[in-house]
Amino acid sequence: PWSDAFSMQQRSLVIGGTAVKVRQSWEKRSEEDLEPTGMRWTGAAVWDAAIVLSEFLADNKQLVQRKRVLEVGAGLALVSVAAGLCGAESVTATDYTTAVLELATENLKTNLPEMAEAGNATALPLLWGSEEAASSLGKPFDVVVGSDVIYREDVFKPLIQTLDLVTTNESIVILAHKPRGLNEDKFFFWLRRKFVVLQEHQP
């Protein structure tokens, strides 16, 4: 069952023909372990949308090759790892909590050792909706990726504000999500007020 994969301490995957190992922390979470978002489990395991987006990048390497890539709501940083394997110049995985960022850092070092050693694969904190937090990441990114980041209506506008702050008119944003009936249509309505949606893919 799907819950077995979530409870694994280490998840083994194959992305674009390359073996990837991702450290998870589901077994260490309790009902009291709230994240700043008010959620308990978002950064504890690899979610399906992250795998889908990673495979999409592996099939479309040209989107990230020689690009500076930012992952928002990175969790365990699988998509950042995939971008690095696809030839990104640098990958920056971002999330909220220290515990999640520590695991993201470990996963980057495990799967992208040379990039991590050179400082080109990093995990950093990022508060959505904060101009100061966005500017702390440096110049805007070429590509921004995110998976399953549309999980609560009250984060929709802060996320879009952050996407706007970390990009230019030449940047590409690639998002993957699993519809859960959480008023996602509102997010995409607001997103279209800031960005041009070039393509949508549905299973």
Side-chain angles (χ1 to χ4, degrees), residues 16 56-66 85-88:
F56 176 80
L57 295 181
D59 290 338
N60 298 273
K61 294 181 175 65
Q62 74 282 359
L63 294 174
V64 295
Q65 284 177 335
R66 298 180 295 281
L85 293 174
C86 289

Side-chain angles (χ1 to χ4, degrees), residues 72-117:
V72 295
L76 305 179
L78 174 62
V79 182
S80 292
V81 168
L85 293 174
C86 289
E89 175 185 313
S90 67
V91 294
T92 304
T94 61
D95 213 292
Y96 288 92
T97 67
T98 300
V100 171
L101 289 169
E102 287 176 351
L103 282 173
T105 298
E106 180 179 337
N107 290 329
L108 291 170
K109 289 180 177 179
T110 297
N111 296 284
L112 303 173
E114 293 181 3
M115 290 184 68
E117 185 175 354

Side-chain angles (χ1 to χ4, degrees), residues 11-31:
R11 186 94 178 262
S12 296
L13 301 161
V14 177
I15 303 297
T18 300
V20 172
K21 294 181 179 180
V22 180
R23 174 84 181 278
Q24 301 188 132
S25 65
W26 194 275
E27 82 286 350
K28 296 182 180 180
R29 296 299 179 93
S30 71
E31 292 296 323

